Amino acid sequence: MALELAGERHELWLDAAPGTAGVYLLTRAERRAIPVDEPSGGRSHQALLHLRKRFGGTRLSALDRIPGERALTLTAGPAVVALRLWGPAPSLTLVVDGEPLASLGTGAPAWPPPSPAPEREWPSVEPAHLQAAMGEASPARAILSACPGLGPDLARVLARGDLSWEELKRRLGDPHPILFLPAPLESLRDADLAAPGAVTLLPVIVPGLQGTVLRPASWREAAATLLSTRRRGGRFRARRAAVMDEVRREARRLRALEDHLARDLAGLPPPDELRRQAEALLASAGAVAAASNEVEIPDPYDSGLRIRVRVDPRLSLPANADRLFEKARRLERARRQIDARRADAREKLQQAQVREAGALAARDLADLGEAASRAGARSPENARGAAPRHYLTARGLSVLVGRGARENHRLTFAVAGPEDLWLHARDVPGAHVILRDPEGRAESEDVREAAELAAFFSDARAQPQADVHVTRRKHVRAARGGHGRVRIDHSDTLRVAPRDPEGRLRRRL
């Protein structure tokens, strides 16, 4: 909001953020130097729109501080803004015709304001009240309750015993704006300002505060410097926390992926053993007939041993051997793909650790730009949008895996046919999985592979075993409560190990 003061244009800054809550009178240059991150939606955005509508272009008729409280009100016609400054969650509330209309800040609404308590003003407070507060378990908080106008910094000074109440009152009789900074103002970096309370504004010199002392020419200039430096530190702190959270989440995902790939690799049968069985079948093709599901034949590499090989009795022994050779080749390809994915995951994990170290070492907001952009970059898979993942079972049947609640709903009720198989991990959030089976060709191996997908793309992926619903899509109905929620008329339960499909199942893009 713009105010005219002594023929010069100023802006009134209303702030309800922790650490900077207050009302500031800024020059235009000071205002432009302070970056603003306005909310793009939600309650805060609506509150800003109401404030601008009710206060923009109006004449401010009163600005009142409530005696004995760290609270104030601004009045412009029928509109009032109440600002509560105390506590870790300040609040600003717009009131029109006596009714609260909107609030800013993380605290409870600031309306109605507290009643005036002039007896709690620092010149009037009883020394006995402060002496009693000193004996409380949390003396600084008790002192602040007895005399809110002191503020938390002076309350801590008294609680530590750095100054007596009589000496502090004497100094408060001749106040001057004094800023305590971690370093000279011109040399401050964003990281120097990131700690809460790194910059302090006080009316007197007090012992126990470290750093550089700055004496601004006016209270208005001191408050503007406090606001600017604390907002610099707050933006840096929030951005670094966001980057660290994103990078560490990515590192956890990569570690989990590497663990899953290692388990998948350990679960693959050795291809050399399959080749040995295939060669034994070829060597015994003329001597043994495949009359059952298993044959016992001599080991071609050790004539004194015999080995048992599972076969399909409908096929000849050479045809069964060809199947084993093909399975061995697929296993070798899967091992190579898993090894490549593990190496890629390890490399990306190292990159994430480097970005984390860079964020920890950052000194300015600009230093976080590269780490933030890398951490927030979308993977190629995410960039493709919300289309379902599409895999093929070993026998060539299509398996579709939903991404997110909306896609799950669309996949189940708009894409899947009534005779397709529907799968979902039991009792945990997860993807809807559709095994295409319009002709009833799905066998137990297809269903098992689809169930492993349903378990993997669910919150049960870290478990060694998971239960999975298996039913025809015609037995699944949409339920109330939002996209993705369903009611199952009846289903079977299949217990499987969650397995990453990469390297095992072919994928259609």
Side-chain angles (χ1 to χ4, degrees):
M1 296 186 297
L3 287 178
E4 260 187 53
L5 183 64
E8 185 180 347
R9 301 285 287 184
H10 283 72
E11 291 193 14
L12 192 67
W13 178 292
L14 303 181
D15 201 310
T20 55
V23 177
Y24 302 82
L25 191 64
L26 307 176
T27 66
R28 285 185 170 180
E30 290 167 341
R31 166 64 184 83
R32 285 195 296 267
I34 299 174
V36 178
D37 299 320
E38 289 196 5
S40 57
R43 185 173 67 96
S44 297
H45 179 65
Q46 293 298 322
L48 284 174
L49 293 179
H50 282 301
L51 280 167
R52 287 171 180 157
K53 177 181 177 181
R54 300 290 181 172
F55 265 68
T58 63
R59 181 178 294 276
L60 188 66
S61 58
L63 194 160
D64 299 306
R65 185 180 71 85
I66 298 174
E69 298 289 348
R70 300 186 70 216
L72 51 84
T73 59
L74 298 87
T75 305
V80 176
V81 166
L83 183 60
R84 187 183 66 244
L85 305 178
W86 73 85
S91 179
L92 180 153
T93 300
L94 172 65
V95 182
V96 178
D97 295 328
E99 293 295 327
L101 185 61
S103 289
L104 283 172
T106 57
W111 190 265
S115 301
E119 70 279 3
R120 299 205 295 173
E121 292 283 281
W122 70 264
S124 305
V125 69
E126 291 290 338
H129 292 166
L130 292 177
Q131 192 63 37
M134 295 286 287
E136 296 288 337
S138 179
R141 184 174 298 177
I143 291 171
L144 195 58
S145 177
C147 184
L150 286 177
D153 295 302
L154 290 181
R156 283 192 287 267
V157 168
L158 286 178
R160 291 195 301 263
D162 295 336
L163 277 181
S164 67
W165 173 237
E166 291 75 17
E167 175 61 20
L168 180 58
K169 282 184 67 173
R170 186 188 68 79
R171 296 188 185 188
L172 288 174
D174 185 23
H176 298 280
I178 300 169
L179 282 167
F180 292 85
L181 307 169
L185 185 61
E186 63 276 3
S187 65
L188 285 172
R189 309 283 293 275
D190 292 344
D192 300 328
L193 305 169
V199 180
T200 303
L201 173 59
L202 292 177
V204 295
I205 289 285
V206 295
L209 290 179
Q210 305 295 322
T212 300
V213 175
L214 182 66
R215 299 176 185 271
S218 67
W219 284 100
R220 194 202 63 75
E221 181 184 335
T225 303
L226 176 74
L227 175 65
S228 174
T229 52
R230 285 197 170 181
R231 282 189 64 85
R232 272 181 63 191
R235 292 183 82 233
F236 178 84
R237 182 171 62 249
R239 177 69 63 83
R240 182 166 61 182
V243 171
M244 295 291 292
D245 180 67
E246 191 72 26
V247 170
R248 286 171 175 169
R249 187 163 56 245
E250 175 69 3
R252 289 194 297 270
R253 185 189 70 81
L254 291 168
R255 290 191 185 98
L257 175 60
E258 190 175 358
D259 289 343
H260 291 145
L261 291 171
R263 287 202 297 269
D264 285 348
L265 188 63
L268 293 178
D272 290 343
E273 179 61 27
L274 294 177
R275 284 198 174 87
R276 184 172 188 160
Q277 294 176 3
E279 291 174 5
L281 290 176
L282 290 176
S284 304
V288 177
S292 64
N293 292 332
E294 187 177 76
V295 295
E296 183 176 318
I297 52 180
D299 187 340
Y301 294 95
D302 188 340
S303 58
L305 294 178
R306 297 180 68 82
I307 59 176
R308 292 179 176 273
V309 182
R310 293 185 63 84
V311 296
D312 185 344
R314 296 170 298 178
L315 303 176
S316 65
L317 291 188
N320 276 285
D322 288 341
R323 278 192 170 185
L324 291 174
F325 281 129
E326 176 59 28
K327 188 173 182 180
R329 286 191 290 270
R330 288 202 307 270
L331 287 171
E332 286 182 335
R333 286 196 298 270
R335 283 179 175 274
R336 288 193 297 269
Q337 291 170 349
I338 291 175
D339 286 338
R341 291 196 68 205
R342 290 183 71 191
D344 181 64
R346 283 192 291 267
E347 181 181 355
K348 289 179 178 177
L349 178 59
Q350 291 174 353
Q351 294 171 357
Q353 291 168 341
V354 169
R355 293 197 299 273
E356 180 181 359
L360 288 172
R363 300 291 296 156
D364 291 303
L365 195 63
D367 298 337
L368 295 172
E370 183 178 357
S373 61
R374 288 181 180 176
R378 302 177 74 193
S379 67
E381 180 176 281
N382 290 338
R384 285 194 292 269
R389 302 174 179 90
H390 190 174
Y391 297 95
L392 297 177
T393 68
R395 298 179 59 251
L397 297 188
S398 289
V399 184
L400 304 177
V401 182
R403 304 172 189 259
R406 287 185 178 274
E407 176 57 32
N408 281 337
H409 185 88
R410 192 186 73 84
L411 177 62
T412 298
F413 298 108
V415 176
E419 295 301 324
D420 289 338
L421 287 167
W422 182 90
L423 303 95
H424 191 285
R426 286 185 72 104
D427 303 325
V428 294
H432 292 200
V433 175
I434 298 296
L435 174 60
R436 290 290 207 181
D437 190 30
E439 301 175 0
R441 296 192 301 116
E443 295 185 359
S444 59
E445 184 68 15
D446 301 302
V447 176
R448 184 184 61 78
E449 290 176 350
E452 290 171 347
L453 281 173
F456 181 79
F457 289 106
S458 77
D459 284 2
R461 69 163 59 188
Q463 303 299 322
Q465 297 284 320
D467 289 336
V468 176
H469 286 291
V470 181
T471 188
R472 296 287 176 183
R473 213 292 295 156
K474 62 186 179 183
H475 301 308
V476 180
R477 302 180 185 180
R480 294 180 179 179
H483 291 293
R485 300 183 69 87
V486 300
R487 187 173 73 250
I488 306 170
D489 291 341
H490 65 81
S491 70
D492 296 324
T493 298
L494 184 61
R495 174 161 289 190
V496 296
R499 298 184 66 188
D500 189 341
E502 298 300 329
R504 297 189 304 107
L505 301 182
R506 288 172 289 169
R507 184 168 185 177
R508 282 191 172 179
L509 302 179

